[in-house]
Amino acid sequence: MSKVDNSLQEACKKRIEDLRKDFLSLRTVFLALGDETRQLILLTLLEQEPKELRVNELAQHTYLSRPAVSHHLQILKNAGLLELRKEGTKNYYSIKKETMIFYQMKEMFSKIECTIREKQNQDQ
């Protein structure tokens, strides 16, 4: 094995180790996004962007009960995907714009793609 091959293999191992850390740090996000109902809520919020929505409005758009919407909103909020704005007794939800989560996910998928390409090139 040449020095170039060895160094590429080491870089690949390092990237995979970085991916382990990425998966761990984004686990809550992936669990939140893995649920079909939460995906529907996120899509509804994206469709209504930049308008913020209350639980009642989300329930109407998604045909879910208010308690179900509240439960799923809390999970999405805890994952760092939503922001909540309170106005008196009213709560307004929107997609969190100032977050590194989407950048981290993009970088993680880029590392996966790069690793796959390198592995394919090594096999050739």
Side-chain angles (χ1 to χ4, degrees):
M1 184 178 283
S2 73
K3 286 185 179 183
V4 172
D5 288 341
N6 198 17
S7 118
L8 282 173
Q9 206 169 26
E10 288 301 315
C12 194
K13 284 181 185 177
K14 167 78 171 96
R15 194 175 303 107
I16 289 172
E17 196 52 43
D18 287 347
L19 281 166
R20 287 182 209 284
K21 294 174 189 170
D22 292 343
F23 277 119
L24 187 60
S25 71
L26 291 168
R27 180 172 285 155
T28 305
V29 175
F30 285 122
L31 288 170
L33 292 174
D35 182 88
E36 197 173 330
T37 301
R38 291 190 281 276
Q39 292 167 14
L40 177 60
I41 290 170
L42 279 173
L43 289 169
T44 302
L45 286 167
L46 283 170
E47 287 172 351
Q48 299 299 313
E49 188 70 31
K51 182 182 175 189
E52 302 166 308
L53 295 178
R54 296 185 57 213
V55 174
N56 281 344
E57 294 169 307
L58 281 163
Q60 289 172 353
H61 283 282
T62 59
Y63 305 104
L64 297 166
S65 68
R66 286 190 63 216
V69 170
S70 293
H71 168 75
H72 290 291
L73 285 170
Q74 189 62 43
I75 292 169
L76 291 165
K77 187 175 164 292
N78 289 344
L81 297 168
L82 299 184
E83 50 191 4
L84 166 66
R85 183 178 63 83
K86 292 182 180 237
E87 190 176 286
T89 60
K90 297 176 183 174
N91 294 331
Y92 294 89
Y93 292 89
S94 61
I95 302 290
K96 190 169 187 176
K97 290 142 193 86
E98 301 298 321
T99 182
M100 291 295 294
I101 291 170
F102 300 117
Y103 174 78
Q104 288 173 303
M105 291 174 68
K106 181 180 173 184
E107 286 297 305
M108 188 189 79
F109 287 117
S110 179
K111 287 177 195 173
I112 291 169
E113 181 184 26
C114 188
T115 303
I116 290 169
R117 268 191 271 116
E118 280 183 10
K119 293 277 191 178
Q120 287 173 337
N121 289 339
Q122 286 174 1
D123 291 342
Q124 293 175 355

